[in-house]
Amino acid sequence: MRSAGSTVNDIADRNFDAHVERTRYRPLASGQISTRKALFFFVSQLLCAASLLYFLSPFTRIFALAVVPLVIIYPFCKRFTYWPQAVLGAAFNWGMLMAWAEIQGEIPFAAVLIWLGAVAWQIGYDTVYAYVDAKDDVRIGIRSTALLFGQHGKSIIMFFYAATVLL
């Protein structure tokens, strides 16, 4: 699902990525592959992930399916919120919640705290990437935590890393 998330991100951002220094050579942005082929690849990734549902308990299957909307909406969050890194963190760390669900048949509060710690970590490190793209993002109209945090970024990123350790 993490790879599927990366693929859908590249599909959704293909027109933006072509105008961003760091991402302009991605296969879709540079025209190396077509959107149709990328969509086929995305569907293939979803089908591979879906085949693994067979091996999970019914509770975990439902929980696994609940992440699909997060994976799909993540790249579009950059268009309407300054917090796409939080959605990315929620989706990309979902597997740890699924592991708790499968092993214990429930998701205890401690598991949610650990997951929130991983989300905080993802916000921190993905914000660093966002600072690399900040000038391009302003120019093309994409939002990120880097633009939200501005000059206070180092302090706020440090806060998220501290939250990671605490959680």
Side-chain angles (χ1 to χ4, degrees):
M1 282 305 296
R2 188 175 183 119
S3 295
S6 294
T7 301
V8 76
N9 179 67
D10 286 0
I11 292 168
D13 287 355
R14 66 191 180 282
N15 295 325
F16 291 126
D17 286 348
H19 302 286
V20 176
E21 183 63 30
R22 184 179 60 82
T23 59
R24 67 183 177 165
Y25 296 113
R26 287 182 175 171
L28 279 166
S30 65
Q32 294 172 28
I33 65 168
S34 68
T35 303
R36 183 177 175 190
K37 286 181 181 178
L39 285 168
F40 178 78
F41 184 59
F42 174 63
V43 170
S44 298
Q45 289 172 305
L46 289 178
L47 291 173
C48 285
S51 72
L52 299 173
L53 294 174
Y54 173 79
F55 301 101
L56 301 174
S57 69
F59 175 63
T60 308
R61 280 186 208 134
I62 292 168
F63 209 74
L65 292 172
V67 76
V68 175
L70 279 178
V71 170
I72 292 171
I73 68 163
Y74 156 68
F76 301 100
C77 290
K78 302 171 209 174
R79 290 144 174 89
F80 61 86
T81 180
Y82 286 98
W83 290 97
Q85 287 76 13
V87 177
L88 179 70
F92 277 13
N93 293 291
W94 199 261
M96 67 176 59
L97 294 176
M98 289 176 53
W100 283 94
E102 185 64 20
I103 292 168
Q104 292 195 346
E106 64 179 3
I107 300 169
F109 185 67
V112 174
L113 292 178
I114 293 169
W115 174 72
L116 289 172
V119 171
W121 175 66
Q122 185 112 30
I123 292 169
Y125 84 75
D126 204 63
T127 298
V128 173
Y129 280 110
Y131 271 102
V132 172
D133 299 339
K135 289 180 184 175
D136 290 328
D137 289 351
V138 168
R139 185 173 43 80
I140 60 179
I142 294 179
R143 298 176 184 175
S144 71
T145 48
L147 298 180
L148 178 65
F149 301 163
Q151 293 180 349
H152 305 289
K154 287 181 184 179
S155 299
I156 297 172
I157 290 169
M158 195 166 64
F159 164 79
F160 280 104
Y161 285 154
T164 298
V165 173
L166 288 171
L167 292 165

